[in-house]
């Protein structure tokens, strides 16, 4: 079946630094990838939708300059949390969808802790 | 805000019993629904899906029921096992510039031995 690899699984960084999270579709071409944020004991909140080769579409309230998304190839999307602060600490999850498919495959998530 | 929600935040069930997890949605135009299981520290895992032209779909030990009249979705797990302990989310496909998943609040299922 479809597999999405997300890396790193955990990261701790200092305030003010930037962190990059990678999301790769291993056995299919993901024309669309989604990035979610999840707080403890809460649901997944969609942050942005990225389509290969075009700018990401951000959900209302999500700072695009804070959360940089790049979808340069059909198998890789990256989320960069810029100038991270403790309030950015969260569980970030990516999802990938193949063109013409309704299936959404999720990565295993990245636990970001900003100290 | 969320257009899909869940009735109960937690469910405790005896091992071997059947589990029923409920979900209410508000978007009557939604035509595709998915149940996901999320274990601690992991991403959501697909369980089963159903389209709006169906009212029931069965998988291995799981059944999803859809009642479009009252906009209600349920997931039934037969003979619940300890490995079923997780958070369960219902999600619907919504269209806003693209087809996107909108998640409900989640129900934490705890299986008692």
């Amino acid at each position: 079946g479809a597999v999405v690899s997300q890396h790193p699984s955990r990261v701790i960084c200092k305030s003010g630094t930037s962190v990059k999270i990678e999301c790769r579709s291993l056995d299919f071409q993901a024309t669309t990838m989604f990035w979610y944020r999840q707080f403890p004991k809460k649901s997944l909140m969609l942050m942005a939708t990225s389509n290969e080769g075009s700018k990401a579409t951000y959900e209302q309230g999500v700072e695009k300059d804070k959360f940089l998304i790049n979808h340069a190839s059909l198998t890789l999307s990256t989320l960069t949390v810029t100038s991270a602060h403790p309030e950015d600490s969260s569980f970030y999850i990516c999802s990938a969808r193949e063109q013409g498919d309704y299936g959404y495959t999720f990565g295993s998530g990245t636990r970001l802790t900003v100290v | 805000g969320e257009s899909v929600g869940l009735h109960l935040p937690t469910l405790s069930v005896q091992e071997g019993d059947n589990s029923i997890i409920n979900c209410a949605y508000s978007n009557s135009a939604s035509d595709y629904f998915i149940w996901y299981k999320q274990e601690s520290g992991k991403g959501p895992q697909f369980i089963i899906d159903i389209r709006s032209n169906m009212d029931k779909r069965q998988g291995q030990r799981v059944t999803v029921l859809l009642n479009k009249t009252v906009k209600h979705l349920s997931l039934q797990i037969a003979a619940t096992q300890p490995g079923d302990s997780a958070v369960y989310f219902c999600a619907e496909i919504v269209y806003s510039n693209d087809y996107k998943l909108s998640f409900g609040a989640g129900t934490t299922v705890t299986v008692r031995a």
Side-chain angles (χ1 to χ4, degrees), chain B residues 11-42:
Chain B
L11 175 67
S12 179
V13 61
Q14 185 70 36
E15 181 180 357
D17 287 353
N18 297 334
S19 302
I20 298 176
I21 306 166
N22 295 306
C23 177
Y25 64 95
S26 58
N27 189 344
S28 58
S30 296
D31 63 359
Y32 183 55
F33 304 88
I34 309 172
W35 279 100
Y36 287 94
K37 173 185 180 183
Q38 186 181 29
E39 297 176 327
S40 181
K42 297 183 179 179

Side-chain angles (χ1 to χ4, degrees), chain A residues 4-7 21-25 33-35 75-79 94-96 107:
Chain A
V4 171
S5 174
Q6 187 172 341
H7 180 81
I21 303 169
E22 292 188 348
C23 182
R24 294 180 183 272
S25 57
M33 287 189 174
F34 304 87
W35 287 94
T75 59
L76 174 64
S77 176
T78 60
L79 167 67
C94 71
S95 172

Side-chain angles (χ1 to χ4, degrees), chain A residues 35-86:
Chain A
W35 287 94
Y36 295 82
R37 183 174 181 176
Q38 186 177 30
F39 291 102
K41 300 189 182 301
K42 297 292 184 182
S43 187
L44 283 74
M45 180 189 75
L46 180 64
M47 298 173 66
T49 303
S50 72
N51 290 291
E52 184 267 337
S54 61
K55 289 184 179 180
T57 303
Y58 291 81
E59 296 299 304
Q60 190 173 8
V62 179
E63 299 176 61
K64 62 180 181 181
D65 294 331
K66 174 75 169 176
F67 300 100
L68 300 180
I69 292 171
N70 185 283
H71 193 163
S73 78
L74 285 171
T75 59
L76 174 64
S77 176
T78 60
L79 167 67
T80 302
V81 183
T82 63
S83 186
H85 291 286

Side-chain angles (χ1 to χ4, degrees), chain A residues 32 34 36 38 41-44 46 49 51 57 59 91 93 95 97 102-109 111, chain B residues 2 31-32 34 36 38 41-46 51 89 93 96-106:
Chain A
T32 307
F34 304 87
Y36 295 82
Q38 186 177 30
K41 300 189 182 301
K42 297 292 184 182
S43 187
L44 283 74
L46 180 64
T49 303
N51 290 291
T57 303
E59 296 299 304
F91 193 54
I93 309 170
S95 172
R97 188 185 70 202
Y102 251 171
Y104 298 77
T105 303
F106 285 83
S108 54
R111 172 74 59 193
Chain B
E2 296 173 335
D31 63 359
Y32 183 55
I34 309 172
Y36 287 94
Q38 186 181 29
K42 297 183 179 179
Q45 176 186 2
F46 173 91
R51 295 192 182 275
F89 294 97
I93 300 291
S96 175
N97 297 316
D98 201 330
Y99 290 98
K100 307 171 186 178
L101 277 175
S102 176
F103 282 81

Side-chain angles (χ1 to χ4, degrees), chain B residues 53-104:
Chain B
N53 61 352
M54 304 172 69
D55 52 22
K56 180 179 180 179
R57 189 158 189 235
Q58 288 184 296
Q60 187 177 11
R61 283 203 305 120
V62 294
T63 300
V64 55
L65 299 178
L66 175 63
N67 185 329
K68 294 181 288 296
T69 302
V70 295
K71 289 184 281 188
H72 183 269
L73 196 67
S74 69
L75 176 70
Q76 299 177 3
I77 305 173
T80 312
Q81 303 169 358
D84 295 328
S85 292
V87 180
Y88 290 81
F89 294 97
C90 64
E92 63 176 336
I93 300 291
V94 296
Y95 184 82
S96 175
N97 297 316
D98 201 330
Y99 290 98
K100 307 171 186 178
L101 277 175
S102 176
F103 282 81

